[in-house]
Amino acid sequence: MKAFTTLDGLVVPIDRSNVDTDAIIPKQFLKSIRRTGFGPNLFDAWRYLDEGQPEQDNSKRPLNPDFVLNQPRYQGAQVLLARENFGCGSSREHAPWALDDYGIRALVAPSFADIFYNNCFKNGVLPIVLPADVVDGLFREVAASPGYRLRIDLAAQTVITPSGASHGFSVDEFRKYCLLNGLDEIGLTLRHADEIRAYEARRAQREPWIFGGAA
Amino acid sequence: MNPLSLYEKLWQAHVVREEPDGTALIYIDRHLVHEVTSPQAFEGLRIAGRALWRRDSILATADHNTPTTDQKVIADPVSRLQVSTLDQNCRDYHITEFPMGDHRQGIVHVIGPEQGATLPGMTVVCGDSHTSTHGAFAALAMGIGTSEVEHVLATQTLLARKSKTMRVQVEGSLPRGVTAKDVALAIIGHIGTAGGTGHAIEFAGSAIRSLSMEGRMTVCNMAIEAGARAGMVAVDETTIAYLKGRPFAPGGARWDAAVAYWRTLHSDEGARFDRVVTLDASRIEPLVTWGTSPEMVTTVGGRVPDPAAESDATRREGMERALRYMALQPGMAITDIAIDKVFIGSCTNSRIEDLRAAAAVVKGRKVAANVKLALVVPGSGLVKSAAEAEGLDRIFIEAGFEWRNPGCSMCLGMNDDRLSPGERCASTSNRNFEGRQGAGSRTHLVSPQMAAAAAVSGHFADVRTFLN
């Protein structure tokens, strides 16, 4: 996994609640058997005026000038500012893959959907939950100041605005540790292989029908 | 003894080890695999040179990309490669797969229970958010991402934290014409699409207990639309009767031992929940969604709401955006909304009881002239043949429906079954998001009966007027 320590990144605001993973990366791009290359299709239906297809040359497609990602001031954004329940719906990990591939390294919102939140950590993308009124304030500041950036420090668990205001956020210790060090979770878990086997042996005693396939 | 909730019992039974911050390694009993979210996981396993931990925990099938017409080979080369990649991975790792063409193939959340591969007391995962469906069997079932699919393939465990608990109690009896789908939509309308975030929901109460296993699956299926990764229902006689004799269910002396254990899988008297929500079943009506989130729902006799009446600015803008996208006017009667297409299918509503209920409304009637396409897509090959044995296919075909082969189909349109831009669909699926059923598509979520009533009326209609 890719490590995340600190970030000083340009902020792009997506000002709507309940943004679902179908919107983040539409279904036709889920046919890919790779983990990369989804960035050009991030928010595809909102970003382009035509309907995108997999394996298409996206550079020739008509852009929707009204969509924030297409506005010059947000080019190169690494922090996505969002509203409630961001990432709801489908479990597709293609959503954080698309965000990461586009260049987004952190997200700030009042709440995230559970599966999406989890998937972000597996890909070195940091989802940060801040209180709704703080997020509301950030939306106003971003709108008022082109070039608006946020400084994010995972070790300190802080988000710092250009005016120097610091907002603390919480993150599970274990997730923080894995993300700071870019650790391979499977490798970590396999260090406990003996415990897993011992557990299996206990379960096989108690619930033997769990093991083995069709009767 | 401390009274425990069903969720707490399932959680405790599966903890292999726990980190000081509460992150636990939980053991996974059943891993369902489909073609869309697994190729990168198998690739990761290969690149790292890791072995598969326990192949007998896995049941695989192709469902999202599969054509519902009689194509033997998938025409779209990108879809074809994804499906053949699953086939190859299953061959390489000796995994049980129901591939395209197998009479048991179908939507992963239909075939798991149908085969008895989903059992009470199990942890069930799949790279698919609608894995919550399997909670109907008092299993701890949840959708996971592809990195987690790889983690389960390699370690048979998942890193997880204990959820908060919510009990949704639906008491009383459901009126005629009101189904499990309406219960699910009523709950989502009540608590909102983020209402269950961070929670595992137990659905309880007399109305839930009176549902069949298929009805309970419909309710648990949509737990994720209420934001909850897992939904569940306690074991009772209905659960046990459903499982007996299924191919993957235990037989002989093991069956008796299993049943004895399964009967303990309910919340203890006095168990505590972080949140309790109660609904009166007798007041639930047939529902129709009007917007682009499943919480945007109203009764069939209702009207499209007016955003002007919403005081919260973000919510109001959300409603306005939804109405623009859906091309609906505030105040419009739901029954005045004309439809272009009808989809009866998906992991929410494609089981035999769903098809029977829809056929009962359709029988002797015709699909309305303004409806361009009405599809019935059974959830599995076995559901399809059971329906044909009862003559349901004839009822649908005579009415003007198309009778298709199993798969996810128009719920998300990864195969050829899609809406065209601007088309409006009465759909028994689970998501009405922008573009869900095709770019520019407009989805209204309803029960199978309500979809059938809309098909023969050409617009939404109160199914209760069709039942005598």
Side-chain angles (χ1 to χ4, degrees):
Chain A
M1 196 220 297
K2 206 162 54 179
F4 185 107
T5 51
T6 58
L7 174 69
D8 179 350
L10 185 71
V11 180
V12 60
I14 303 278
D15 194 2
R16 51 170 99 184
S17 51
N18 298 318
V19 170
D20 56 74
T21 53
D22 273 82
I24 297 171
I25 183 82
K27 90 287 291 340
Q28 62 268 37
F29 306 107
L30 272 51
K31 296 178 185 180
S32 168
I33 58 170
R34 299 182 303 140
R35 272 177 198 261
T36 54
F38 298 102
N41 302 110
L42 175 69
F43 296 116
D44 197 86
W46 295 344
R47 196 162 147 199
Y48 300 97
L49 294 170
D50 64 346
E51 187 184 343
Q53 293 306 330
E55 301 179 356
Q56 178 182 18
D57 178 3
N58 295 288
S59 66
K60 300 195 171 53
R61 297 175 57 199
L63 294 171
N64 173 6
D66 296 334
F67 186 57
V68 282
L69 283 194
N70 294 328
Q71 294 169 10
R73 62 177 284 195
Y74 297 119
Q75 297 313 301
Q78 291 181 289
V79 180
L80 192 147
L81 183 64
R83 296 285 186 185
E84 295 80 14
N85 201 27
F86 188 86
C88 62
S90 157
S91 63
R92 59 189 70 171
E93 197 163 319
H94 311 67
W97 293 340
L99 288 161
D100 178 48
D101 198 54
Y102 178 84
I104 300 293
R105 299 297 321 280
L107 303 111
V108 177
S111 61
F112 294 94
D114 291 342
I115 303 178
F116 174 81
Y117 182 80
N118 211 36
N119 285 342
C120 283
F121 281 97
K122 313 288 181 189
N123 293 282
V125 175
L126 177 62
I128 297 170
V129 176
L130 290 180
D133 58 327
V134 172
V135 172
D136 221 33
L138 295 178
F139 267 98
R140 283 196 300 272
E141 289 177 22
V142 172
S145 10
Y148 189 92
R149 303 174 77 84
L150 286 174
R151 278 192 292 141
I152 295 163
D153 186 333
L154 175 56
Q157 296 179 216
T158 53
V159 175
I160 300 167
T161 71
S163 66
S166 176
H167 304 285
F169 62 90
S170 57
V171 57
D172 298 335
E173 278 306 312
F174 186 76
R175 279 185 163 134
K176 178 178 168 180
Y177 166 73
C178 290
L179 198 51
L180 280 173
N181 297 292
L183 295 177
D184 164 25
E185 288 183 353
I186 297 177
L188 279 183
T189 297
L190 285 173
R191 296 207 302 227
H192 307 299
D194 290 346
E195 275 177 81
I196 301 171
R197 283 195 199 93
Y199 171 91
E200 270 180 333
R202 291 196 302 276
R203 276 299 291 296
Q205 283 289 315
R206 214 169 59 224
E207 292 168 70
W209 56 86
I210 297 292
F211 300 87
Chain B
M1 275 258 291
N2 215 4
L4 296 175
S5 67
L6 170 58
Y7 172 76
E8 288 167 321
K9 289 180 184 180
L10 294 171
W11 174 267
Q12 284 183 6
H14 289 88
V15 174
V16 174
R17 60 173 277 121
E18 207 168 329
E19 299 292 333
D21 78 336
T23 303
L25 211 50
I26 62 165
Y27 190 79
I28 301 305
D29 298 320
R30 178 67 69 209
H31 189 183
L32 301 167
V33 168
H34 67 77
E35 79 277 20
V36 181
T37 55
S38 66
Q40 298 88 348
F42 282 108
E43 185 195 32
L45 206 62
R46 276 195 193 92
I47 290 170
R50 289 179 175 134
L52 178 64
W53 187 282
R54 185 158 78 80
R55 68 178 181 89
D56 69 65
S57 69
I58 307 175
L59 178 60
T61 196
D63 54 9
H64 285 62
N65 284 274
T66 52
T68 58
T69 51
D70 282 328
Q71 293 174 43
K72 292 282 176 278
V73 177
I74 303 175
D76 174 358
V78 191
S79 284
R80 190 168 64 232
L81 176 62
Q82 193 162 60
V83 171
S84 65
T85 301
L86 176 69
D87 295 343
Q88 189 61 48
N89 283 327
C90 290
R91 278 195 295 273
D92 291 350
Y93 288 96
H94 308 287
I95 290 167
T96 305
E97 186 199 10
F98 299 162
M100 254 180 78
D102 188 301
H103 69 288
R104 299 163 300 178
Q105 178 265 336
I107 305 174
V108 72
H109 307 308
V110 173
I111 68 170
E114 186 174 72
Q115 292 293 324
T118 302
L119 295 173
M122 275 184 164
T123 41
V124 180
V125 296
C126 176
D128 194 290
S129 61
H130 289 110
T131 309
S132 58
T133 309
H134 307 267
F137 293 84
L140 176 55
M142 57 201 161
I144 57 177
T146 298
S147 294
E148 292 178 312
V149 170
E150 186 180 337
H151 196 279
V152 176
L153 291 175
T155 72
Q156 210 58 39
T157 62
L158 201 59
L159 285 160
R161 290 174 65 88
K162 203 168 167 184
S163 299
K164 286 186 276 188
T165 53
M166 185 188 300
R167 178 177 241 182
V168 175
Q169 197 121 357
V170 190
E171 298 289 357
S173 47
L174 292 172
R176 204 162 148 72
V178 177
T179 69
K181 180 62 162 287
D182 302 297
V183 172
L185 289 171
I187 293 166
I188 296 161
H190 186 71
I191 68 173
T193 51
T197 303
H199 292 77
I201 299 180
E202 179 178 348
F203 298 100
S206 56
I208 300 294
R209 282 197 301 277
S210 69
L211 290 175
S212 67
M213 287 316 295
E214 299 194 356
R216 295 175 191 185
M217 283 187 251
T218 300
V219 173
C220 289
N221 173 274
M222 291 191 75
I224 187 66
E225 264 62 63
R229 207 170 172 180
M232 62 197 71
V233 176
V235 167
D236 63 8
E237 295 311 312
T238 306
T239 323
I240 292 164
Y242 178 97
L243 289 167
K244 195 167 175 62
R246 299 206 176 247
F248 284 71
R254 277 190 176 181
W255 169 259
D256 296 333
V259 169
Y261 171 59
W262 294 345
R263 288 193 202 280
T264 68
L265 297 173
H266 54 79
S267 289
D268 295 332
E269 191 69 34
R272 285 213 310 271
F273 292 85
D274 293 297
R275 190 178 170 195
V276 177
V277 173
T278 306
L279 269 77
D280 179 352
S282 69
R283 297 182 59 174
I284 300 176
E285 295 188 53
L287 299 175
V288 181
T289 65
W290 52 266
T292 53
S293 163
E295 70 183 15
M296 294 173 166
V297 65
T298 192
T299 59
V300 64
R303 292 179 180 276
V304 174
D306 189 350
E310 173 60 55
S311 54
D312 179 87
T314 303
R315 287 182 68 89
R316 184 169 60 245
E317 282 160 27
M319 289 172 75
E320 286 166 352
R321 191 182 299 114
L323 292 187
R324 270 197 307 277
Y325 182 85
M326 295 296 289
L328 294 174
Q329 302 304 318
M332 192 176 181
I334 295 294
T335 50
D336 284 343
I337 301 173
I339 54 163
D340 302 304
K341 289 183 176 169
V342 176
F343 173 58
I344 297 177
S346 87
C347 57
T348 314
N349 281 129
S350 64
R351 300 179 181 85
I352 189 71
E353 292 172 12
D354 298 318
L355 304 188
R356 282 182 195 138
V361 173
V362 163
K363 190 170 187 173
R365 296 188 170 96
K366 294 282 181 204
V367 170
N370 63 305
V371 174
K372 290 183 264 188
L373 178 69
L375 280 187
V376 185
V377 182
S380 72
L382 294 177
V383 170
K384 188 181 189 209
S385 50
E388 288 172 353
E390 296 178 20
L392 302 183
D393 57 325
R394 298 310 317 161
I395 294 173
F396 285 116
I397 291 165
E398 279 161 22
F401 279 83
E402 293 193 17
W403 179 249
R404 297 286 189 87
N405 291 322
C408 301
S409 180
M410 206 192 272
C411 173
L412 85 169
M414 276 191 75
N415 67 354
D416 294 333
D417 306 335
R418 275 191 295 271
L419 299 181
S420 298
E423 281 184 339
R424 190 182 296 285
C425 183
S427 179
T428 67
S429 55
N430 39 58
R431 290 185 176 137
N432 52 353
F433 299 156
E434 286 184 22
R436 172 75 179 182
Q437 295 189 289
S441 60
R442 295 171 179 145
T443 304
H444 296 266
L445 304 176
V446 287
S447 72
Q449 287 97 310
M450 283 288 289
V456 298
S457 307
H459 53 81
F460 291 104
D462 191 335
V463 68
R464 291 170 295 193
T465 63
F466 288 75
L467 308 169
N468 40 41

